[in-house]
mmCIF file of all heavy atoms in Angstrom:
data_model
loop_
_atom_site.group_PDB
_atom_site.id
_atom_site.type_symbol
_atom_site.label_atom_id
_atom_site.label_comp_id
_atom_site.label_asym_id
_atom_site.label_seq_id
_atom_site.Cartn_x
_atom_site.Cartn_y
_atom_site.Cartn_z
ATOM 1 N N ILE B 62 30.920 17.763 15.192
ATOM 2 C CA ILE B 62 31.284 19.194 15.262
ATOM 3 C C ILE B 62 31.593 19.584 16.705
ATOM 4 O O ILE B 62 32.600 20.244 16.985
ATOM 5 C CB ILE B 62 30.137 20.068 14.673
ATOM 6 C CG1 ILE B 62 30.042 19.855 13.166
ATOM 7 C CG2 ILE B 62 30.378 21.553 14.973
ATOM 8 C CD1 ILE B 62 28.755 20.375 12.553
ATOM 9 N N ALA B 63 30.742 19.100 17.616
ATOM 10 C CA ALA B 63 30.952 19.428 19.032
ATOM 11 C C ALA B 63 32.275 18.859 19.523
ATOM 12 O O ALA B 63 33.033 19.529 20.230
ATOM 13 C CB ALA B 63 29.791 18.881 19.852
ATOM 14 N N LEU B 64 32.576 17.612 19.091
ATOM 15 C CA LEU B 64 33.830 16.949 19.496
ATOM 16 C C LEU B 64 35.036 17.709 18.968
ATOM 17 O O LEU B 64 36.028 17.946 19.682
ATOM 18 C CB LEU B 64 33.824 15.514 18.945
ATOM 19 C CG LEU B 64 34.817 14.561 19.570
ATOM 20 C CD1 LEU B 64 34.378 14.223 20.999
ATOM 21 C CD2 LEU B 64 34.892 13.279 18.751
ATOM 22 N N LEU B 65 34.952 18.122 17.697
ATOM 23 C CA LEU B 65 36.053 18.879 17.087
ATOM 24 C C LEU B 65 36.254 20.210 17.796
ATOM 25 O O LEU B 65 37.384 20.642 18.035
ATOM 26 C CB LEU B 65 35.778 19.099 15.594
ATOM 27 C CG LEU B 65 35.859 17.857 14.709
ATOM 28 C CD1 LEU B 65 35.436 18.199 13.289
ATOM 29 C CD2 LEU B 65 37.246 17.258 14.705
ATOM 30 N N ASN B 66 35.137 20.839 18.152
ATOM 31 C CA ASN B 66 35.242 22.121 18.871
ATOM 32 C C ASN B 66 35.871 21.920 20.234
ATOM 33 O O ASN B 66 36.709 22.724 20.664
ATOM 34 C CB ASN B 66 33.853 22.750 19.046
ATOM 35 C CG ASN B 66 33.445 23.518 17.810
ATOM 36 O OD1 ASN B 66 34.284 23.948 17.039
ATOM 37 N ND2 ASN B 66 32.146 23.683 17.622
ATOM 38 N N LEU B 67 35.510 20.834 20.895
ATOM 39 C CA LEU B 67 36.044 20.563 22.233
ATOM 40 C C LEU B 67 37.536 20.273 22.191
ATOM 41 O O LEU B 67 38.288 20.681 23.072
ATOM 42 C CB LEU B 67 35.301 19.372 22.871
ATOM 43 C CG LEU B 67 33.929 19.682 23.484
ATOM 44 C CD1 LEU B 67 33.253 18.396 23.922
ATOM 45 C CD2 LEU B 67 34.078 20.612 24.692
ATOM 46 N N THR B 68 37.942 19.535 21.126
ATOM 47 C CA THR B 68 39.366 19.179 21.035
ATOM 48 C C THR B 68 40.180 20.283 20.366
ATOM 49 O O THR B 68 41.397 20.150 20.208
ATOM 50 C CB THR B 68 39.546 17.867 20.253
ATOM 51 O OG1 THR B 68 38.828 18.005 19.020
ATOM 52 C CG2 THR B 68 39.032 16.678 21.019
ATOM 53 N N GLY B 69 39.543 21.345 19.944
ATOM 54 C CA GLY B 69 40.241 22.489 19.369
ATOM 55 C C GLY B 69 40.652 22.312 17.921
ATOM 56 O O GLY B 69 41.422 23.105 17.377
ATOM 57 N N ILE B 70 40.134 21.275 17.273
ATOM 58 C CA ILE B 70 40.461 21.082 15.849
ATOM 59 C C ILE B 70 39.422 21.824 15.016
ATOM 60 O O ILE B 70 38.219 21.678 15.245
ATOM 61 C CB ILE B 70 40.456 19.580 15.479
ATOM 62 C CG1 ILE B 70 41.448 18.836 16.355
ATOM 63 C CG2 ILE B 70 40.781 19.380 14.004
ATOM 64 C CD1 ILE B 70 41.264 17.331 16.332
ATOM 65 N N ARG B 71 39.901 22.624 14.051
ATOM 66 C CA ARG B 71 38.953 23.388 13.234
ATOM 67 C C ARG B 71 38.640 22.641 11.947
ATOM 68 O O ARG B 71 39.507 21.921 11.428
ATOM 69 C CB ARG B 71 39.531 24.771 12.914
ATOM 70 C CG ARG B 71 39.545 25.696 14.108
ATOM 71 C CD ARG B 71 40.167 27.002 13.756
ATOM 72 N NE ARG B 71 41.562 26.816 13.324
ATOM 73 C CZ ARG B 71 42.280 27.758 12.761
ATOM 74 N NH1 ARG B 71 41.772 28.936 12.529
ATOM 75 N NH2 ARG B 71 43.538 27.526 12.416
ATOM 76 N N PHE B 72 37.480 22.863 11.453
ATOM 77 C CA PHE B 72 37.072 22.245 10.195
ATOM 78 C C PHE B 72 38.008 22.646 9.050
ATOM 79 O O PHE B 72 38.328 21.835 8.185
ATOM 80 C CB PHE B 72 35.646 22.693 9.827
ATOM 81 C CG PHE B 72 34.626 21.651 10.109
ATOM 82 C CD1 PHE B 72 33.481 21.970 10.809
ATOM 83 C CD2 PHE B 72 34.809 20.349 9.687
ATOM 84 C CE1 PHE B 72 32.530 21.006 11.078
ATOM 85 C CE2 PHE B 72 33.865 19.379 9.952
ATOM 86 C CZ PHE B 72 32.725 19.703 10.647
ATOM 87 N N SER B 73 38.398 23.913 9.088
ATOM 88 C CA SER B 73 39.263 24.418 8.014
ATOM 89 C C SER B 73 40.565 23.623 7.949
ATOM 90 O O SER B 73 41.107 23.400 6.866
ATOM 91 C CB SER B 73 39.547 25.898 8.221
ATOM 92 O OG SER B 73 40.041 26.097 9.515
ATOM 93 N N ASP B 74 41.037 23.150 9.123
ATOM 94 C CA ASP B 74 42.272 22.355 9.143
ATOM 95 C C ASP B 74 42.073 21.056 8.373
ATOM 96 O O ASP B 74 42.894 20.676 7.535
ATOM 97 C CB ASP B 74 42.650 22.007 10.595
ATOM 98 C CG ASP B 74 43.099 23.252 11.354
ATOM 99 O OD1 ASP B 74 43.443 24.244 10.675
ATOM 100 O OD2 ASP B 74 43.060 23.214 12.596
ATOM 101 N N ILE B 75 40.949 20.409 8.671
ATOM 102 C CA ILE B 75 40.662 19.127 8.003
ATOM 103 C C ILE B 75 40.479 19.351 6.504
ATOM 104 O O ILE B 75 41.037 18.629 5.690
ATOM 105 C CB ILE B 75 39.399 18.461 8.602
ATOM 106 C CG1 ILE B 75 39.586 18.242 10.096
ATOM 107 C CG2 ILE B 75 39.100 17.145 7.914
ATOM 108 C CD1 ILE B 75 38.327 17.860 10.829
ATOM 109 N N ALA B 76 39.715 20.396 6.174
ATOM 110 C CA ALA B 76 39.466 20.704 4.759
ATOM 111 C C ALA B 76 40.785 20.964 4.034
ATOM 112 O O ALA B 76 40.984 20.518 2.898
ATOM 113 C CB ALA B 76 38.557 21.911 4.645
ATOM 114 N N LEU B 77 41.677 21.652 4.730
ATOM 115 C CA LEU B 77 42.991 21.965 4.160
ATOM 116 C C LEU B 77 43.766 20.678 3.886
ATOM 117 O O LEU B 77 44.311 20.488 2.801
ATOM 118 C CB LEU B 77 43.764 22.852 5.146
ATOM 119 C CG LEU B 77 44.875 23.714 4.575
ATOM 120 C CD1 LEU B 77 44.306 24.720 3.598
ATOM 121 C CD2 LEU B 77 45.606 24.428 5.699
ATOM 122 N N LYS B 78 43.744 19.791 4.858
ATOM 123 C CA LYS B 78 44.466 18.525 4.712
ATOM 124 C C LYS B 78 43.893 17.739 3.539
ATOM 125 O O LYS B 78 44.631 17.205 2.719
ATOM 126 C CB LYS B 78 44.336 17.657 5.982
ATOM 127 C CG LYS B 78 44.896 18.259 7.241
ATOM 128 C CD LYS B 78 46.382 18.425 7.177
ATOM 129 C CE LYS B 78 46.860 19.175 8.418
ATOM 130 N NZ LYS B 78 48.056 19.980 8.152
ATOM 131 N N ILE B 79 42.574 17.688 3.470
ATOM 132 C CA ILE B 79 41.932 16.923 2.390
ATOM 133 C C ILE B 79 42.310 17.519 1.033
ATOM 134 O O ILE B 79 42.639 16.799 0.100
ATOM 135 C CB ILE B 79 40.399 16.869 2.583
ATOM 136 C CG1 ILE B 79 40.073 16.013 3.820
ATOM 137 C CG2 ILE B 79 39.689 16.276 1.366
ATOM 138 C CD1 ILE B 79 38.649 16.119 4.309
ATOM 139 N N SER B 80 42.299 18.851 0.959
ATOM 140 C CA SER B 80 42.646 19.475 -0.326
ATOM 141 C C SER B 80 44.105 19.188 -0.673
ATOM 142 O O SER B 80 44.454 19.003 -1.828
ATOM 143 C CB SER B 80 42.371 20.974 -0.275
ATOM 144 O OG SER B 80 43.402 21.643 0.371
ATOM 145 N N PHE B 81 44.980 19.099 0.346
ATOM 146 C CA PHE B 81 46.380 18.747 0.098
ATOM 147 C C PHE B 81 46.482 17.335 -0.462
ATOM 148 O O PHE B 81 47.197 17.091 -1.427
ATOM 149 C CB PHE B 81 47.205 18.833 1.402
ATOM 150 C CG PHE B 81 47.541 20.246 1.805
ATOM 151 C CD1 PHE B 81 47.756 20.554 3.140
ATOM 152 C CD2 PHE B 81 47.643 21.262 0.855
ATOM 153 C CE1 PHE B 81 48.060 21.854 3.520
ATOM 154 C CE2 PHE B 81 47.948 22.560 1.240
ATOM 155 C CZ PHE B 81 48.154 22.861 2.574
ATOM 156 N N ILE B 82 45.691 16.442 0.161
ATOM 157 C CA ILE B 82 45.707 15.035 -0.293
ATOM 158 C C ILE B 82 45.253 14.973 -1.750
ATOM 159 O O ILE B 82 45.866 14.328 -2.585
ATOM 160 C CB ILE B 82 44.786 14.165 0.606
ATOM 161 C CG1 ILE B 82 45.339 14.110 2.031
ATOM 162 C CG2 ILE B 82 44.650 12.756 0.047
ATOM 163 C CD1 ILE B 82 44.354 13.620 3.073
ATOM 164 N N ASN B 83 44.171 15.707 -2.053
ATOM 165 C CA ASN B 83 43.636 15.704 -3.420
ATOM 166 C C ASN B 83 44.630 16.265 -4.434
ATOM 167 O O ASN B 83 44.574 15.927 -5.610
ATOM 168 C CB ASN B 83 42.335 16.503 -3.481
ATOM 169 C CG ASN B 83 41.212 15.730 -2.818
ATOM 170 O OD1 ASN B 83 41.344 14.531 -2.610
ATOM 171 N ND2 ASN B 83 40.147 16.413 -2.460
ATOM 172 N N ARG B 84 45.472 17.154 -3.981
ATOM 173 C CA ARG B 84 46.430 17.762 -4.926
ATOM 174 C C ARG B 84 47.653 16.851 -5.170
ATOM 175 O O ARG B 84 48.610 17.260 -5.787
ATOM 176 C CB ARG B 84 46.872 19.131 -4.410
ATOM 177 C CG ARG B 84 45.933 20.233 -4.903
ATOM 178 C CD ARG B 84 46.522 21.598 -4.740
ATOM 179 N NE ARG B 84 46.343 22.075 -3.381
ATOM 180 C CZ ARG B 84 47.184 22.874 -2.759
ATOM 181 N NH1 ARG B 84 48.259 23.294 -3.366
ATOM 182 N NH2 ARG B 84 46.943 23.269 -1.540
ATOM 183 N N GLY B 85 47.619 15.687 -4.624
ATOM 184 C CA GLY B 85 48.685 14.721 -4.953
ATOM 185 C C GLY B 85 49.616 14.417 -3.799
ATOM 186 O O GLY B 85 50.796 14.114 -4.029
ATOM 187 N N PHE B 86 49.129 14.512 -2.630
ATOM 188 C CA PHE B 86 49.864 14.141 -1.416
ATOM 189 C C PHE B 86 51.129 14.980 -1.168
ATOM 190 O O PHE B 86 51.931 14.629 -0.318
ATOM 191 C CB PHE B 86 50.276 12.652 -1.468
ATOM 192 C CG PHE B 86 49.117 11.712 -1.524
ATOM 193 C CD1 PHE B 86 48.676 11.172 -2.720
ATOM 194 C CD2 PHE B 86 48.439 11.367 -0.357
ATOM 195 C CE1 PHE B 86 47.605 10.316 -2.781
ATOM 196 C CE2 PHE B 86 47.364 10.491 -0.412
ATOM 197 C CZ PHE B 86 46.940 9.974 -1.625
ATOM 198 N N GLU B 87 51.322 16.064 -1.949
ATOM 199 C CA GLU B 87 52.610 16.762 -1.805
ATOM 200 C C GLU B 87 52.792 17.369 -0.412
ATOM 201 O O GLU B 87 53.889 17.454 0.087
ATOM 202 C CB GLU B 87 52.812 17.825 -2.907
ATOM 203 C CG GLU B 87 51.854 18.991 -2.866
ATOM 204 C CD GLU B 87 50.757 18.864 -3.909
ATOM 205 O OE1 GLU B 87 50.250 17.747 -4.095
ATOM 206 O OE2 GLU B 87 50.439 19.874 -4.530
ATOM 207 N N ASN B 88 51.610 17.721 0.179
ATOM 208 C CA ASN B 88 51.723 18.314 1.510
ATOM 209 C C ASN B 88 51.148 17.416 2.596
ATOM 210 O O ASN B 88 50.718 17.875 3.642
ATOM 211 C CB ASN B 88 51.021 19.678 1.532
ATOM 212 C CG ASN B 88 51.816 20.710 0.778
ATOM 213 O OD1 ASN B 88 53.002 20.906 1.029
ATOM 214 N ND2 ASN B 88 51.167 21.345 -0.193
ATOM 215 N N PHE B 89 51.048 16.143 2.271
ATOM 216 C CA PHE B 89 50.414 15.194 3.196
ATOM 217 C C PHE B 89 51.093 15.215 4.570
ATOM 218 O O PHE B 89 50.432 15.127 5.601
ATOM 219 C CB PHE B 89 50.469 13.798 2.582
ATOM 220 C CG PHE B 89 49.770 12.765 3.414
ATOM 221 C CD1 PHE B 89 48.389 12.666 3.417
ATOM 222 C CD2 PHE B 89 50.486 11.890 4.221
ATOM 223 C CE1 PHE B 89 47.733 11.722 4.189
ATOM 224 C CE2 PHE B 89 49.842 10.946 4.987
ATOM 225 C CZ PHE B 89 48.476 10.857 4.971
ATOM 226 N N TYR B 90 52.412 15.364 4.524
ATOM 227 C CA TYR B 90 53.159 15.320 5.792
ATOM 228 C C TYR B 90 53.451 16.719 6.349
ATOM 229 O O TYR B 90 54.372 16.896 7.108
ATOM 230 C CB TYR B 90 54.447 14.522 5.621
ATOM 231 C CG TYR B 90 54.194 13.063 5.352
ATOM 232 C CD1 TYR B 90 54.404 12.519 4.090
ATOM 233 C CD2 TYR B 90 53.702 12.234 6.355
ATOM 234 C CE1 TYR B 90 54.140 11.186 3.838
ATOM 235 C CE2 TYR B 90 53.443 10.899 6.104
ATOM 236 C CZ TYR B 90 53.665 10.385 4.851
ATOM 237 O OH TYR B 90 53.405 9.066 4.598
ATOM 238 N N SER B 91 52.691 17.722 5.871
ATOM 239 C CA SER B 91 52.954 19.081 6.361
ATOM 240 C C SER B 91 52.751 19.170 7.868
ATOM 241 O O SER B 91 53.479 19.870 8.549
ATOM 242 C CB SER B 91 52.060 20.096 5.645
ATOM 243 O OG SER B 91 50.722 19.802 5.944
ATOM 244 N N ASN B 92 51.715 18.478 8.350
ATOM 245 C CA ASN B 92 51.537 18.406 9.803
ATOM 246 C C ASN B 92 51.031 17.001 10.128
ATOM 247 O O ASN B 92 49.885 16.795 10.442
ATOM 248 C CB ASN B 92 50.524 19.468 10.257
ATOM 249 C CG ASN B 92 50.494 19.620 11.764
ATOM 250 O OD1 ASN B 92 51.137 18.839 12.482
ATOM 251 N ND2 ASN B 92 49.746 20.599 12.242
ATOM 252 N N PRO B 93 51.910 16.010 9.995
ATOM 253 C CA PRO B 93 51.464 14.612 10.097
ATOM 254 C C PRO B 93 50.889 14.243 11.458
ATOM 255 O O PRO B 93 49.974 13.419 11.531
ATOM 256 C CB PRO B 93 52.719 13.804 9.820
ATOM 257 C CG PRO B 93 53.853 14.728 10.005
ATOM 258 C CD PRO B 93 53.365 16.106 9.790
#
Side-chain angles (χ1 to χ4, degrees):
Chain B
I62 291 165
L64 197 71
L65 290 175
N66 277 336
L67 280 173
T68 51
I70 302 165
R71 288 178 299 169
F72 257 131
S73 53
D74 291 342
I75 302 168
L77 203 63
K78 299 294 174 210
I79 292 167
S80 80
F81 283 153
I82 295 164
N83 287 344
R84 271 196 278 148
F86 298 98
E87 66 258 41
N88 287 307
F89 184 77
Y90 293 107
S91 63
N92 191 353

